[in-house]
Amino acid sequence: MTAPVFVVDDGTPLRPGTVVLAGPEGRHAVSVRRLRAGEQVVLTDGAGTGAYGTVAAAEGKDRLTVDIVSVRTEDAPAPRITVVQALPKGDRGELAVETMTETGVDAVVPWQAARCVTQWKGERGAKSLAKWRATAREAGKQSRRLRFPEVADPATTRQAAQLLAGADFAAVLHEDGGVAVPLATAKLPDAGRLVLVVGPEGGVSPEELAVFAEAGAAPHRLGPSVLRTSTAGTAAAAVLLARTGRWS
């Protein structure tokens, strides 16, 4: 089994030597994972750097001392995959972020689509965004990533269109086989930025499709079945990761 990953985001430099993991991460390591001296761990800043070491001591309920042996930094993956995710109902948003993070998506942009039932406004919106970001962090740790996905501020349709216009490949997932091109056969660039739009349960409206088409995003389909908004982004990302060689 691979070594567990813990986040060090308090400015502590990740380099060979001794590092003390305290606070919530230390508590999780000591009290939840029950790590003990001699076990292997990985510390990361979530931005691509990983420090590999061995537990020297576990003290109290929330203090883990780690002897770092080696450090490596991953380059940003290419091509970069961003998913513009319409806001699902309930906790399906966190499910989408969790599985997309585990799959390998590089960025998630919450999108307030016209047909979204859920509305992110005021304090509720801030709490929902915080949940998405916390989910990406925890899923990044669980999937042993060193570079966690960015969860951007919520975007309007026009802001999403601007993102699509700057992409090297842009697609809107669409269930209509009569107009949508299979994502599995779409021509993809070897590098650059790939942006996918995942609509809400009610689908992307004709007006939104027109705005996205003007920005250069064509409709694409995954297959004969219709996926829910909380799973479509993960499935589409898997197709792109396999086809671009990131999973090779």
Side-chain angles (χ1 to χ4, degrees):
M1 187 173 180
T2 56
V5 173
F6 298 95
V7 181
V8 176
D9 55 6
D10 60 358
T12 300
L14 294 178
R15 59 194 178 199
T18 300
V19 172
V20 175
L21 192 66
E25 290 292 279
R27 186 174 302 110
H28 185 244
V30 176
S31 299
V32 179
R33 294 299 299 265
R34 298 187 180 278
L35 296 180
R36 295 295 179 261
E39 296 190 73
Q40 303 296 307
V41 295
V42 178
L43 307 182
T44 182
D45 58 3
T49 297
Y52 298 78
T54 303
V55 175
E59 304 171 89
K61 296 182 179 180
D62 62 356
R63 184 180 175 88
L64 195 77
T65 303
V66 180
D67 289 335
I68 302 300
V69 177
S70 63
V71 177
R72 71 179 178 88
T73 300
E74 292 182 347
D75 293 332
R80 176 180 170 86
I81 299 174
T82 298
V83 176
V84 178
Q85 172 68 56
L87 305 181
K89 294 184 293 184
D91 61 359
R92 287 189 171 273
E94 289 99 280
L95 173 64
V97 172
E98 179 181 49
T99 55
M100 286 191 289
T101 298
E102 293 172 356
T103 304
V105 164
D106 303 299
V108 179
V109 180
W111 170 41
Q112 186 71 64
R115 294 175 177 173
C116 283
V117 175
T118 298
Q119 300 287 320
W120 279 12
K121 294 180 179 179
E123 184 178 349
R124 178 183 177 182
K127 287 182 178 179
S128 296
L129 179 59
K131 285 183 179 179
W132 281 34
R133 287 173 172 165
T135 297
R137 174 188 170 107
E138 292 307 309
K141 290 165 53 181
Q142 191 279 329
S143 55
R144 311 297 196 261
R145 290 182 61 165
L146 298 183
R147 189 179 296 274
F148 300 164
E150 170 195 355
V151 178
D153 290 336
T156 65
T157 296
R158 289 292 176 184
Q159 289 170 331
Q162 293 173 2
L163 186 64
L164 293 166
D168 298 281
F169 173 81
V172 182
L173 296 186
H174 200 286
E175 63 187 73
D176 189 346
V179 299
V181 176
L183 188 63
T185 59
K187 184 175 176 56
L188 302 175
D190 296 327
R193 291 176 292 173
L194 282 57
V195 181
L196 290 168
V197 176
V198 179
E201 297 292 351
V204 182
S205 72
E207 294 78 14
E208 290 166 335
L209 283 173
V211 171
F212 293 155
E214 186 177 352
H220 287 71
R221 68 178 186 274
L222 285 172
S225 60
V226 178
L227 280 68
R228 300 199 69 165
T229 185
S230 54
T231 55
T234 299
V239 172
L240 296 181
L241 288 161
R243 293 198 57 220
T244 57
R246 281 184 51 178
W247 272 5
S248 61

